[in-house]
Amino acid sequence: MSTLDIVDDTTGVSLDRRALRRSLHRVGRRQRLLSLSLVAPLGAFTLVFFVIPILAFFVFSVANTEVPRGLPLTTEAIKEWQGDGLPPEGVFEALTSDLENAENRTAVIGAARRLNYDVAGFHGLMTKTVSGLSRGALEAGAPVESSPAPDGFSIFGNDTTPTESTTAKPQTPIERLTGIDARWSQERYWKAIERGTWPVTPLYLLTALDLRIGDEGSIERVSPDHRIYLTLIARTFGVSASVTLIALILGFPLALFIKRQPANRASLIMFLVLVPLWTSILVRTTAWLVLLQGEGLLNDLIVMLHLSETRLPLIHNRLGVLVAMVHICLPFMILPIYSVMKGIPPSYTRAAASLGAAPARVFFKVYLPLVFPGLAAGVLLVFIMCLGFYVTPALVGGPRDQMLSYFIAMAVNRDLNWGLASALSIILILIVALTLLVFKRFASATLAR
Amino acid sequence: MPLNRNQFVRFVNVHKAYDVNTLVVKDLNLDVANGEFLTLLGPSGSGKTTTLMMLAGFEEPTSGDIILDGRSINGIPAYKRGVGMVFQNYALFPHMTVGENLAFPLQARGMSRADQKTRILQALDMVKLSAFADRRPAQLSGGQQQRVALARALVFEPSLVLMDEPLGALDKQLRDHMQLEIKHLHQRIGVTVVYVTHDQTEALVMSDRVAVFNEGRIQQVAAPAEIYQNPQTDFVAQFIGENNRLEGRVAEISHNESTIVLKDGTTVRSGSVAGTTSGEKRILSVRPEAILVGSDAANLPNSFYGNVKEIVYLGDHVRLIIPFGGPEELSIKLTHRRAAAISVGDQVSFGWKPEECRALV
């Protein structure tokens, strides 16, 4: 008998183990293919609209292609520079050539914008230099290929004041550039260009954390008046936590109440809880706008009842944001808690009471641990939903109530700064991931106890 | 009120209604003796579980008194009654280990940690689960969970333990085993047990006394043998064990016997039931195993002939079906040996003693 055979003790029939495995595999394959084909559409959807965009965020947040594309010669030449003092003359010459290359104008604008993210004012410097160079070329009798850089592309203020380079004597590239703007003799601008030639850049991620690479090359905090993002992250976290807590405080007793109602009344209340989900968040937020604004219904009522002499600021502040967000999130808190409560048979609490536990002990020692999975699901769901809120704070919040999403949208729509938008998105994703991780640890610790 | 050993638990004129239309429990009067194993037996909706819940404190009687150890417990919440309870689904707390489950009632009573430990070990030892203190309920089999639930209901040494169909979720073999185990446990520790079930075998096997419930009323309270052999009502006869029902009228009453005329005119002599008057409609009740067949039956006061309509094979015995008394049929329980010579269509002689048969309301 070979080792491949297995023998049935009772019948003595021997089976070829390998043949058995083969036929098992054959039978299983159809099943596997079927299962796979069932999830394939969703898998493809997720890949295209979820996984790839997120990977793209990661790439965008460190991408550093603008400077090599806009200033190819400079990129090549600056490799020779050791970083001490000013770069060698060849770099100045390369930059001059890059900036004079009119065919590459769009890419130069891109590079200028990218460098401006690193060192404020760089955009203006580039604009001024391009126009200065073309003017200089005009005076030197060179053929004019294009007008000076149009003012329109400057976003960060326009300092293209004509320089008084009236003397048309032959100049070295260093003299030409520093002649147009003295800032070219400062090391930090060249270092910014050098950082722009790195294969990847930490710039956006650092910016998103209120950090920058200082002139000495070390990472430092940005000046206090530029620090916005840490506050923003803390605010996003704080607002989400507040909304979650309020929703929990309001939702848990309601779920408990519904649970204690007779079945038909319970389903009616549950229906009422779910009705708001049928309308869009935008509509519900606007409704709060109508209710809470200075001339709104609630204020009318308050004034009518003489509860307050003046109309209260209920909206465009933190209060309005919390009210509207809690309202939107409440069903997502109640649903999981209620569904878990419904699954707990009354015999558990009865057993606890029959064993001599007073109502408080029954609640904290038996009922709460049993409902915990529902609480955890509700808290997690609402908290993570809140982290990504955009429309509601944008409509009912003031300038100091905007959350991460708002700044991501602003970076994309207004500043066209995809790198920063991606970096902020990644921070948001990391917060969510961290929340899940902490929660999982906490939840399993609580349950394992 | 003097403390009476036979009145450890008393239900006095207890009514219970959930709405204005139906009384779930009607005028319940029942005493449970100290140390007794009393089973409330009945079909679902008969009020037995409601009665248990009122005793546990999860339901309040609509009227009447429940007295525990000489004290009315109306309005006293469940957690202050000190009554142990075992539930149908065990209700072991899934987030606690077996040991923690058992510690729960002791912690609620503020017992010291060391005392708790001794008690828990004793209780686990009692149900032979000493090695399982650190397991979670989900890691135990149904029978083990059942035993933990028992241990938890007994660990704080209550004087009264209630059990609500505790064996309902177990398979038959395990149920049979646990019936005896619970019975022995009761005999050993002498606690008073009020046990609810719809399973008549369970009631007969375990109880000192059985209270048969139907439609909110107690039909009969008696020891198992009495319930089985001397059912007082048609319902009890039907519900406990198997039974042949024969409708007829009372023709004649003597000292301890009465004569009943069945629908087809057959007369049957039966044991008497108190309060019977002549001409009354009655239901004769005969157990299948009380009917004798063949020569044994020839000399009995109730002796008849009939043709076998069907023979049903039931493993350990055989059942003959014989049309009798008009529209009715008799079911007769026979051993294989006695049934060997009989086949369908045969005319057989059969009969029973008058005292084996009762004319019930």
Side-chain angles (χ1 to χ4, degrees):
Chain A
M1 186 172 35
S2 84
T3 50
L4 291 173
D5 290 349
I6 46 176
V7 179
D8 188 309
D9 289 338
T10 49
T11 58
V13 175
S14 73
L15 290 163
D16 184 345
R17 203 181 285 253
R18 202 185 297 167
L20 189 62
R21 178 171 302 144
R22 227 179 295 127
S23 52
L24 275 176
H25 186 78
R26 202 168 46 241
V27 173
R29 189 189 305 147
R30 267 181 66 91
Q31 284 295 324
R32 280 195 299 276
L33 278 177
L34 185 67
S35 319
L36 211 62
S37 69
L38 287 175
V39 295
L42 180 62
F45 181 88
T46 313
L47 184 73
V48 172
F49 294 103
F50 192 71
V51 177
I52 292 178
I54 285 180
L55 290 179
F57 285 152
F58 277 91
V59 173
F60 286 159
S61 68
V62 293
N64 206 19
T65 56
E66 296 91 337
V67 173
R69 198 178 297 147
L71 311 171
L73 299 175
T74 316
T75 303
E76 197 54 42
I78 209 160
K79 284 176 185 165
E80 308 299 323
W81 184 39
Q82 300 304 314
D84 301 322
L86 283 181
E89 185 161 5
V91 181
F92 282 82
E93 194 174 355
L95 181 63
T96 312
S97 312
D98 279 331
L99 294 183
E100 280 177 334
N101 182 2
E103 277 154 35
N104 206 21
R105 186 56 47 87
T106 323
V108 170
I109 295 169
R113 188 189 291 132
R114 158 67 182 80
L115 290 168
N116 198 77
Y117 295 150
D118 198 341
V119 176
F122 216 127
H123 192 279
L125 172 62
M126 291 283 272
T127 316
K128 183 178 172 187
T129 309
V130 167
S131 64
L133 284 174
S134 65
R135 199 184 330 271
L138 198 66
E139 282 156 10
V144 186
E145 285 175 5
S146 72
S147 59
D151 294 347
F153 83 73
S154 175
I155 310 167
F156 300 96
N158 197 337
D159 48 353
T160 37
T161 44
T163 47
E164 58 281 16
S165 56
T166 40
T167 48
K169 49 184 174 200
Q171 292 170 305
T172 62
I174 300 180
E175 285 168 346
R176 281 187 73 189
L177 287 177
T178 52
I180 292 169
D181 195 307
R183 283 178 283 182
W184 286 120
S185 59
Q186 289 178 28
E187 228 177 281
R188 56 193 293 241
Y189 290 93
W190 292 102
K191 282 200 167 148
I193 293 180
E194 194 268 335
R195 287 196 293 271
T197 65
W198 294 356
V200 293
T201 178
L203 173 71
Y204 304 113
L205 287 169
L206 290 176
T207 308
L209 295 168
D210 287 342
L211 298 171
R212 59 187 286 268
I213 296 176
D215 294 336
E216 284 77 41
S218 58
I219 292 174
E220 60 183 37
R221 298 192 67 183
V222 297
S223 56
D225 51 324
H226 283 94
R227 289 175 196 165
I228 50 170
Y229 294 110
L230 284 185
T231 323
L232 176 65
I233 291 167
R235 179 195 300 156
T236 306
F237 219 89
V239 168
S240 302
S242 314
V243 171
T244 308
L245 189 69
I246 298 170
L248 181 65
I249 291 170
L250 297 178
F252 184 76
L254 183 65
L256 209 57
F257 171 78
I258 300 174
K259 166 80 196 312
R260 299 165 79 101
Q261 299 305 306
N264 52 352
R265 200 181 305 161
S267 49
L268 176 71
I269 302 172
M270 217 50 219
F271 173 77
L272 294 178
V273 166
L274 295 181
V275 161
L277 292 182
W278 296 358
T279 49
S280 86
I281 289 185
L282 197 62
V283 172
R284 279 179 280 161
T285 307
T286 319
W288 281 113
L289 212 58
V290 174
L291 281 171
L292 298 180
Q293 63 191 337
E295 302 299 317
L297 289 174
L298 196 60
N299 261 320
D300 286 351
L301 196 69
I302 289 170
V303 170
M304 204 173 77
L305 295 175
H306 300 291
L307 294 174
S308 164
E309 294 306 308
T310 54
R311 288 172 175 270
L312 302 175
L314 301 172
I315 206 154
H316 300 306
N317 54 22
R318 189 60 56 84
L319 178 71
V321 173
L322 291 182
V323 167
M325 279 177 73
V326 165
H327 172 242
I328 289 162
C329 290
L330 209 48
F332 297 98
M333 182 64 85
I334 294 169
L335 265 179
I337 297 180
Y338 176 65
S339 70
V340 169
M341 278 181 179
K342 234 170 62 169
I344 300 173
S347 58
Y348 284 121
T349 44
R350 287 184 160 184
S354 81
L355 294 169
R361 181 180 283 267
V362 175
F363 182 78
F364 287 108
K365 293 279 181 181
V366 175
Y367 198 64
L368 214 50
L370 290 175
V371 188
F372 186 79
L375 290 180
V379 164
L380 208 59
L381 199 64
V382 169
F383 184 73
I384 289 176
M385 240 172 70
C386 286
L387 287 177
F389 255 64
Y390 169 59
V391 172
T392 306
L395 287 181
V396 300
R400 293 186 168 281
D401 303 312
Q402 301 309 321
M403 314 229 292
L404 256 173
S405 310
Y406 180 85
F407 282 79
I408 294 173
M410 196 164 78
V412 171
N413 295 331
R414 198 193 71 183
D415 304 341
L416 303 176
N417 189 346
W418 279 90
L420 183 61
S422 300
L424 288 172
S425 301
I426 282 171
I427 285 175
L428 196 56
I429 290 173
L430 288 181
I431 294 176
V432 171
L434 202 73
T435 311
L436 282 172
L437 213 70
V438 169
F439 221 83
K440 202 179 155 202
R441 179 69 54 85
F442 171 71
S444 58
T446 310
L447 287 180
R449 200 180 48 84
Chain B
M1 192 194 306
L3 286 191
N4 186 333
R5 201 195 155 275
N6 292 325
Q7 295 181 336
F8 182 61
V9 178
R10 302 191 69 198
F11 288 87
V12 182
N13 303 328
V14 171
H15 288 83
K16 174 68 186 180
Y18 288 112
D19 54 59
V20 290
N21 299 321
T22 35
L23 277 173
V24 188
V25 172
K26 299 166 191 160
D27 196 25
L28 175 71
N29 286 286
L30 177 65
D31 291 351
V32 186
N34 197 1
E36 185 179 25
F37 195 122
L38 179 86
T39 297
L40 312 182
L41 175 68
S44 54
S46 62
K48 58 184 194 305
T49 302
T50 306
T51 303
L52 194 77
M53 291 302 163
M54 287 192 288
L55 186 51
F58 302 130
E59 301 282 356
E60 275 295 304
T62 313
S63 68
D65 276 318
I66 301 174
I67 292 158
L68 174 63
D69 206 5
R71 217 158 43 97
S72 172
I73 52 172
N74 287 11
I76 295 180
Y79 72 95
K80 287 183 180 164
R81 295 193 179 188
V83 173
M85 182 144 180
V86 181
F87 293 82
Q88 182 168 16
N89 59 1
Y90 319 134
L92 296 176
F93 307 133
H95 57 291
M96 299 181 191
T97 64
V98 168
E100 288 164 343
N101 263 283
L102 264 67
F104 187 83
L106 306 178
Q107 284 163 355
R109 285 165 175 76
M111 188 180 280
S112 78
R113 218 163 255 281
D115 290 353
Q116 285 182 27
K117 215 170 169 185
T118 347
R119 284 280 193 95
I120 291 167
L121 283 177
Q122 273 172 7
L124 282 179
D125 197 42
M126 181 178 70
V127 295
K128 305 180 194 92
L129 284 175
S130 309
F132 293 81
D134 294 327
R135 301 269 189 101
R136 298 252 165 180
Q139 295 168 305
L140 303 179
S141 72
Q144 289 167 338
Q145 290 184 32
Q146 173 58 64
R147 296 219 288 271
V148 174
L150 262 173
R152 190 179 65 176
L154 293 169
V155 71
F156 60 100
E157 296 180 354
S159 49
L160 175 63
V161 174
L162 311 179
M163 303 195 190
D164 182 16
E165 310 221 8
L167 305 181
L170 302 179
D171 60 54
K172 187 174 169 355
Q173 242 171 347
L174 200 55
R175 201 158 59 219
D176 293 348
H177 174 75
M178 285 303 296
Q179 284 171 11
L180 289 178
E181 205 167 308
I182 292 176
K183 187 180 174 175
H184 295 155
L185 203 61
H186 168 251
Q187 285 164 352
R188 213 162 63 233
I189 60 180
V191 65
T192 307
V193 178
V194 177
Y195 189 101
V196 161
T197 184
H198 62 264
D199 183 327
Q200 39 136 333
T201 321
E202 227 166 87
L204 296 179
V205 167
M206 303 168 75
S207 324
D208 295 326
R209 281 194 307 156
V210 179
V212 183
F213 274 70
N214 188 37
E215 292 178 345
R217 283 188 196 282
I218 290 188
Q219 303 283 314
Q220 188 173 358
V221 192
E226 177 73 9
I227 288 273
Y228 188 81
Q229 284 153 21
N230 285 317
Q232 294 297 306
T233 67
D234 179 39
F235 177 82
V236 176
Q238 285 299 309
F239 195 74
I240 314 274
E242 280 176 85
N243 187 42
N244 289 299
R245 286 175 97 244
L246 302 166
E247 283 183 33
R249 277 182 193 284
V250 180
E252 200 189 314
I253 309 161
S254 69
H255 167 58
N256 55 1
E257 249 183 48
S258 51
T259 308
I260 314 285
V261 182
L262 302 185
K263 282 184 178 163
D264 66 348
T266 314
T267 56
V268 179
R269 290 165 67 186
S270 99
S272 183
V273 172
T276 311
T277 51
S278 187
E280 246 181 347
K281 215 172 147 184
R282 283 288 159 130
I283 290 160
L284 270 184
S285 152
V286 195
R287 299 280 185 204
E289 70 271 19
I291 305 175
L292 305 176
V293 174
S295 56
D296 296 346
N299 297 322
L300 293 171
N302 290 321
S303 181
F304 310 99
Y305 286 95
N307 293 315
V308 177
K309 185 184 165 197
E310 200 172 349
I311 300 176
V312 184
Y313 179 75
L314 285 163
D316 59 339
H317 68 274
V318 169
R319 198 148 294 207
L320 300 187
I321 309 290
I322 298 175
F324 182 71
E328 271 115 11
E329 289 176 341
L330 278 183
S331 165
I332 303 170
K333 193 173 167 182
L334 277 188
T335 62
H336 292 291
R337 199 161 52 79
R338 290 192 170 270
I342 302 170
S343 49
V344 174
D346 289 354
Q347 194 183 56
V348 294
S349 131
F350 60 89
W352 60 88
K353 296 176 190 160
E355 60 265 33
E356 296 280 15
C357 130
R358 304 180 64 79
L360 302 171
V361 182

